[in-house]
Amino acid sequence: MSLATDSIFVAALKGNSELMSQIGGRVYSTAIPLPDEQAENVPVPYLIVTFDGLTNDQDSKDDPFESASDKVTVSIFLVDKSREALADLAQAVRTTIHDYMTQQLSEDENFPIQDYEFTAESVRYEASKPCHWQVFTYVCDVNNDEQ
């Protein structure tokens, strides 16, 4: 499951109907699936969820090659029209992810994401669109069900 951890984040975001209404349902996985010239004109707000790699946790000498857990990095690229709108979107995304993960973990002891660390990059402005944007990064402790 760890190689598809980003799909859990997409499901969490899409599961929040209020958030989906706020962003017009524009949640993309990996990239906006349009030619560059069209992607530049995608209406804001939108979110892009990316799988940014993983590292296997080698916790003990008892695991000959790979342990049963991975550290998976998932990022969410947030884009909105104004600084204020971005702040509102960012809070909605952060709360949505937290609430979804907490609920899933409490209801399903086999839920693959056991914990995460959250960071947010600085807010930036893109004059050519124009829009404000920010990146959230989640480093997740994920049970590797392939082991």
Side-chain angles (χ1 to χ4, degrees):
M1 183 70 218
S2 42
L3 292 169
T5 302
D6 54 323
S7 65
I8 296 171
F9 283 78
V10 171
L13 296 166
K14 287 185 174 183
N16 182 332
S17 59
E18 187 175 315
L19 176 62
M20 287 298 94
S21 177
Q22 180 181 349
I23 64 172
R26 290 181 293 273
V27 174
Y28 305 102
S29 180
T30 308
I32 299 172
L34 295 170
D36 287 345
E37 58 276 358
Q38 292 176 12
E40 292 293 325
N41 296 314
V42 169
V44 294
Y46 60 84
L47 305 171
I48 302 174
V49 179
T50 60
F51 176 87
D52 294 340
L54 69 80
T55 303
N56 183 250
D57 283 339
Q58 274 306 102
D59 291 336
S60 77
K61 296 181 285 184
D62 298 333
D63 297 321
F65 296 104
E66 293 187 27
S67 72
S69 65
D70 293 326
K71 288 244 184 239
V72 179
T73 302
V74 173
S75 294
I76 303 175
F77 182 74
L78 303 92
V79 180
D80 215 324
K81 295 177 184 177
S82 69
R83 174 64 186 105
E84 296 77 19
L86 180 64
D88 291 342
L89 176 61
Q91 187 59 56
V93 167
R94 185 176 184 183
T95 300
T96 296
I97 296 299
H98 175 269
D99 292 352
Y100 181 87
M101 299 299 175
T102 302
Q103 179 182 358
Q104 293 301 313
L105 191 57
S106 71
E107 293 176 0
D108 179 4
E109 66 184 37
N110 295 317
F111 185 65
I113 299 176
Q114 296 298 301
D115 198 7
Y116 66 75
E117 294 177 28
F118 167 77
T119 58
E121 292 184 12
S122 62
V123 172
R124 299 185 181 134
Y125 180 74
E126 177 61 48
S128 65
K129 197 150 182 104
C131 65
H132 287 77
W133 59 276
Q134 183 173 33
V135 177
F136 284 177
T137 302
Y138 294 85
V139 178
C140 308
D141 294 324
V142 180
N143 289 334
N144 180 356
D145 61 4
E146 300 300 316
Q147 300 300 314

